[in-house]
Amino acid sequence: MILVLGGAGYIGSHAVKMLIERGESVIVVDNLETGHAAAVHPNAKFYNVDIRNEEELDEVFMENRIESVIHFSANSLVGESVSEPIKYFDNNVFGAINLLKIMRKYEVKKIVFSSTAAVYGEPKQVPILETSETVPTSPYGASKLMMEQIFKWADLAHGIKFVSLRYFNVAGADASGEIGEAHGVETHLIPLVLQVPLGQREFITVFGTDYPTKDGTCIRDYVHVTDLIEAHIKALEYLRLDHNSEIFNLGSGDGFSVMEIIEVARKVTGHPIPVKLSERRPGDPSVLIASSEKAHKLLNWTPQKNSVETIIGDAWKWHNAHPNGYKSNKGAE
Ligand code: UDP
């Protein structure tokens, strides 16, 4: 059985669906702080448990024969982490320590977990390699880097093998249109842009037009959530073959500016999508582009849906069909 922590969240719910479709038995643990019960696949066994609760997490391991863990449970907003650092270290770092204690107790030796491009901070070179310097500029990035270090030492001492996946900008939705991104307070560019054609927002604010890029707006590497999950499944297979612990970047390897994303969204939705130019958002590096060569070589991972038209098209399919996310009533946030 595979234990998916955070399986009710945006990325975790996609993992659960794909694992079940491939015949795996899946247990989901989620505290539903930001996740949605409705996003959890009906064939997964669900526990409403916070990973920081040692007793309750212990029960999950006691009741089930867990072979491996995929860990998505985390707070993940750069801006919020700057104002609420303790919340981030508590959930992300303390949560991971708690999990490791229990994995050690039950001798579960394989884990794939989410890390982030935010561990790099402002990159000195692009594309970014896994060996590039890690100087996080936010508590969120710092918390993920700490997690990687804790897992490294736990591997050396206790043989718990891990794959850490450093995500770039994850977007899009499952092609079925049944699950997708639905945050209480949305801060990410693509879902925010799509709120304009949905009639929930009049314009999209562009944060910063004076970056040293072709059109002055930030450049990011967008990776489709389905491709991202494929990498997790390959990472799990990698660990099942008794390989060593590894860290991989996950991105498409292409950079798109904020303006380019808005332009593609106009084409996909057929809506004019007005923009309002604004100041830079604190903490945003100008360019983040991944080298995913290592994942390509070691995991045999090649993103299939790396056109931003497909990424935004699949996100649009989800948002258009579920303008209020998982809420059945009106009143979208
Ligand atoms: N962005 C923007 N307007 C918004 C939200 C985001 O211009 O309303 C920009 C943001 O400054 C960054 C890019 O879009 O350059 C991607 O931001 P997002 O929050 O989606 O992801 P991040 O790169 O912070 O993980």
Side-chain angles (χ1 to χ4, degrees), residues 169 187-189 192 204-207 218 220 258 281 284:
N169 288 62
T187 63
H188 294 113
L189 180 64
L192 281 174
I204 180 76
T205 306
V206 175
F207 295 139
C218 285
R220 293 288 180 274
V258 173
R281 187 173 69 175
D284 275 341

Side-chain angles (χ1 to χ4, degrees), residues 76-78 116 118 140 168-170 186-193 201 204-208 211 217-220 222 256-258 262 279-281 283-286 288:
S76 61
L77 301 176
V78 170
T116 170
Y140 170 56
F168 282 65
N169 288 62
V170 188
E186 192 51 75
T187 63
H188 294 113
L189 180 64
I190 293 177
L192 281 174
V193 168
R201 175 177 297 275
I204 180 76
T205 306
V206 175
F207 295 139
Y211 285 99
T217 65
C218 285
I219 291 180
R220 293 288 180 274
Y222 294 87
F256 293 89
S257 73
V258 173
I262 297 168
E279 295 299 301
R280 291 182 180 201
R281 187 173 69 175
D284 275 341
S286 51
L288 288 176

Side-chain angles (χ1 to χ4, degrees), residues 10 13-15 17 38-40 173-174 176-181 318 322 326:
Y10 164 46
S13 62
H14 284 79
K17 183 170 187 281
V40 179
D174 186 70
S176 69
E178 286 166 12
I179 52 174
E181 199 164 1
W318 153 255
H322 304 86
Y326 291 99

Side-chain angles (χ1 to χ4, degrees), residues 189-190 193-194 204 206 215 217 256-275 308-309 312:
L189 180 64
I190 293 177
V193 168
L194 295 176
I204 180 76
V206 175
D215 61 17
T217 65
F256 293 89
S257 73
V258 173
M259 287 303 192
E260 285 173 331
I261 292 295
I262 297 168
E263 194 48 43
V264 173
R266 288 182 182 126
K267 278 200 201 109
V268 167
T269 63
H271 190 281
I273 311 184
V275 300
V308 280
E309 283 79 7
I312 296 175

Side-chain angles (χ1 to χ4, degrees), residues 90-295:
D90 181 41
N91 195 14
N92 300 1
V93 181
F94 172 63
I97 292 171
N98 214 23
L99 169 64
L100 273 167
K101 277 190 205 162
I102 296 169
M103 285 180 67
R104 184 185 175 198
K105 178 173 166 190
Y106 287 91
E107 298 185 341
V108 176
K109 305 255 175 179
K110 291 187 269 300
I111 179 165
V112 177
F113 69 90
S114 323
S115 185
T116 170
V119 299
Y120 297 110
E122 182 72 48
K124 293 214 173 74
Q125 94 242 20
V126 284
I128 301 172
L129 297 165
E130 290 81 354
T131 48
S132 297
E133 219 186 347
T134 46
V135 191
T137 50
S138 68
Y140 170 56
S143 73
K144 288 290 178 173
L145 193 57
M146 284 178 194
M147 278 174 67
E148 289 184 351
Q149 286 161 352
I150 293 165
F151 276 99
K152 184 189 93 175
W153 293 109
D155 175 13
L156 285 175
H158 312 303
I160 297 175
K161 298 291 169 199
F162 70 88
V163 169
S164 170
L165 298 172
R166 292 178 175 168
Y167 306 165
F168 282 65
N169 288 62
V170 188
D174 186 70
S176 69
E178 286 166 12
I179 52 174
E181 199 164 1
H183 298 116
V185 179
E186 192 51 75
T187 63
H188 294 113
L189 180 64
I190 293 177
L192 281 174
V193 168
L194 295 176
Q195 287 179 357
V196 182
L198 285 175
Q200 296 171 345
R201 175 177 297 275
E202 281 179 26
F203 53 81
I204 180 76
T205 306
V206 175
F207 295 139
T209 53
D210 60 348
Y211 285 99
T213 59
K214 51 191 165 186
D215 61 17
T217 65
C218 285
I219 291 180
R220 293 288 180 274
D221 178 337
Y222 294 87
V223 55
H224 196 292
V225 65
T226 304
D227 282 329
L228 187 93
I229 300 309
E230 189 64 49
H232 289 68
I233 295 174
K234 285 180 181 288
L236 193 60
E237 290 306 324
Y238 187 80
L239 291 179
R240 282 174 170 164
L241 292 170
D242 289 332
H243 286 294
N244 284 333
S245 297
E246 290 289 351
I247 295 174
F248 297 100
N249 286 340
L250 296 181
S252 293
D254 273 337
F256 293 89
S257 73
V258 173
M259 287 303 192
E260 285 173 331
I261 292 295
I262 297 168
E263 194 48 43
V264 173
R266 288 182 182 126
K267 278 200 201 109
V268 167
T269 63
H271 190 281
I273 311 184
V275 300
K276 187 172 167 185
L277 305 180
S278 178
E279 295 299 301
R280 291 182 180 201
R281 187 173 69 175
D284 275 341
S286 51
V287 182
L288 288 176
I289 301 174
S291 162
S292 298
E293 261 311 293
K294 186 177 170 188

